[in-house]
Amino acid sequence: MGEWRMVPLEWFLILSAILFSIGAYGIMIERNGLKVLMCLEILLNSANINLAAFSRENLMGQEFALFSIAIAAAEVAVGLALLIMLFRYMDTIDLEKFDLLRW
């Protein structure tokens, strides 16, 4: 089929684990809204790598990965729209300064 089948599954899993760790660390540490959205995208991409890596026999995992990419695109569009709206009202995208939804 393709030459990518020669790459061991463990390499894909290690890459995915590294990307997941970077994304999780960024979400927990960062205060900037754009950086949090980028780290969330890294998390979703690590899940897509796992889905594609485990779908060597059938294409089901790749179909789920494409569906996940479409959902990630919608999530980014909504997230950026919210950040732009909050920036217009608060003049910052620091997530710790947003207390609009608190009681």
Side-chain angles (χ1 to χ4, degrees):
M1 288 242 170
E3 290 185 20
W4 65 274
R5 288 185 182 261
M6 299 255 197
V7 179
L9 179 64
E10 292 83 18
W11 290 12
F12 289 113
L13 298 179
I14 290 170
L15 174 65
S16 178
I18 290 169
L19 287 177
F20 187 85
S21 300
I22 291 170
Y25 177 77
I27 286 177
M28 290 187 282
I29 299 301
E30 288 297 330
R31 295 182 179 145
N32 188 342
L34 289 175
K35 289 182 183 178
V36 169
L37 281 177
M38 287 190 291
C39 289
L40 189 61
E41 286 298 315
I42 291 173
L43 279 174
L44 290 172
N45 283 331
S46 72
N48 290 337
I49 289 173
N50 271 338
L51 288 170
F54 282 115
S55 67
R56 291 184 175 208
E57 301 301 321
N58 58 7
L59 297 178
M60 198 68 159
Q62 293 175 10
E63 292 171 3
F64 282 129
L66 285 174
F67 185 70
S68 174
I69 290 170
I71 289 185
E75 171 260 327
V76 166
V78 171
L80 285 176
L82 287 172
L83 282 177
I84 289 171
M85 182 199 67
L86 288 171
F87 180 75
R88 286 182 182 172
Y89 288 122
M90 304 283 289
D91 291 329
T92 184
I93 55 173
D94 187 5
L95 295 179
E96 293 202 358
K97 293 185 180 177
F98 295 142
D99 59 353
L100 297 173
L101 298 177
R102 291 187 185 170
W103 291 90

